[in-house]
Amino acid sequence: MLKDVSFGQYYPVKSFVHNLDPRLKILFLIGYIVAIFLAREFLALGACALVLIVAVLCARIPLGKVLRAVKGILFLVIFTAVVNLFFHSGDKVYWGGEPVLWQWKIFRITQEGIIFSAFLVLRLCLLVIGSSLLTYTTTPVALTDGIESLLSPLKLIRFPVHALALIMSIALRFIPILLDETERIMNAQKARGACIDSGNLFRRMKAIVSVLIPLLLSAIRRADELGEAMDARCYSGGNARTKYKKLRLTWRDPIAFSVLAALIAGVAVMFVFPVFPI
Amino acid sequence: MRIVAEHLSYIYNAKSPFAVKALDDVSLTVEEGEFFGLIGHTGSGESTFVQHLNGLLRLPSSLKRRKKKDGATLTVGEFDLTSKKTNFRALRRKVGMVFQYPEDQLFAETVLDEVAYGYKNFAEKRPDREETERAVREAVEAVGLDYESVKDMSPFDLSGGQKRRVAIAGVIVTKPEILVLDEPAAGLDPLGKREVMELLHRLKESWCKTVVVVSHDMDEIAENCTRVAVFSEGRVEYVLPPAELFKHTEELLRLGLDIPLTAKLVLALKERGVEIDCDYTAEDFVSKVLARGGRSC
């Protein structure tokens, strides 16, 4: 059941998107998020969706995986939809000014409310799928390399960029290890009769303690061992360290860049001169 | 309790690029009262197999199974593990499971609490203090520790071998009928290894009717087991008593497995023209060699 944690898991296939430069992928994601928030009408959001669909197809990631990212925030999506459906009263139109389709006490549904909540749901889904696409197509190592490279200007003000990147990559690397470890310990305690996924709340809490303590101990031990191993290899941080895999731009990057630039430009134009305003 | 497995298959991370076939059509029967060994190169499916025995890994329900048509069944004593209605708690009480490096699962403040954990979990109604302490004392003494001196100690202050004994005590405290151990001697020094194997023998005699052990130590397998199953890439290659098994020296080496020292000696003697036919325990080997020597020298 722990294996179902899918957000942030790398999906190992070779594809156009996988081979993009991680630095650019991070910047693309930021640009894409900006575009989504600039989009004020369905046409602009539709353009974002189109770009995303093309990206997902190019990344060769199965649809089920992509949708699972949305499943993770399903509650948030439904909550947003319901709240906006009942309480959105429109920016331009004042209370009672717009056609009310259905009303019960303070709950009211208007045509505008329906459109607006659909818009928000679409926006949320695009956001989450877009972000998960980054982690599906980029290994944790590439991701931290990208972040380190993007943050490197901060070295000028003596910000420990390398240390930060190292911490991040170690943390990411340890997630699957600790997940495996948790499963192992959970199995061991289940074999001793711990009620981890059944029984009342109190018994479950007690059972969780029997998993957490060994897990914490093993995490500390692993951290200790890793520190010693790094020390034994004379690891000394970022000064003059060279990289085995240098990040280089390839022919793919300008293509992806122009697509995204066109999207942002288009959405920005629609932001200033709306075509079909909501 | 008898263990009967038929056509068991298991795939980790099914339907994903990480899919690994761990068990492939495994059929195996372990009779009550056996000291059953499972050997195989690391990752050959032995550990996956034993995790089925107490329902930590489950077979697909009968509906899904009918679709797959592989006819997998697994029964442990009166428990049918393919049925959804199986009482897994009752099953786990009867089938004790000691994992690899069981000392990693210790968590309680004292040895007494640690060993009592399983006992309290499996008890029908809340056992009183005296009852619990009696059961814990029995289990701790059964694994060869002095109850009075360790009961109030923190399990984390014990030595490696002692920790492992406490962990084993925490499993046998419910008096399981079948005891399953996954490499119980891994990571211990030679003395610790010998002690753990002797402990298993004692437990088999006085405590648990059946012992199933996964091991890489062929000497231990040759000394202790009544029958051995050899796993390779998720399949069972042989199920034989050690005396028969270690005659297949070449195949075992081909599967990446070792052979016991006695088998190596038998081979070396054979090369020099001395044929010895023994059951590969040290005792039998020595007596056969002496018998031979008496005649020829």
Side-chain angles (χ1 to χ4, degrees), chain B residues 36-37 58 65 88 94 103 124 138 153 186 202 262 278:
Chain B
F36 198 88
R58 304 232 176 132
R65 216 168 52 243
F88 281 96
K94 296 273 171 95
E103 56 273 23
E124 294 300 325
E138 260 185 85
M153 281 174 78
R202 276 210 311 280
T262 47
C278 71

Side-chain angles (χ1 to χ4, degrees), chain A residues 8-29:
Chain A
Q9 239 186 30
Y10 180 62
Y11 190 84
V13 287
K14 278 199 170 12
S15 80
F16 180 87
V17 182
H18 283 72
N19 284 331
L20 288 175
D21 189 300
R23 290 171 294 184
L24 283 176
K25 264 191 274 190
I26 296 168
L27 290 180
F28 288 167
L29 180 63

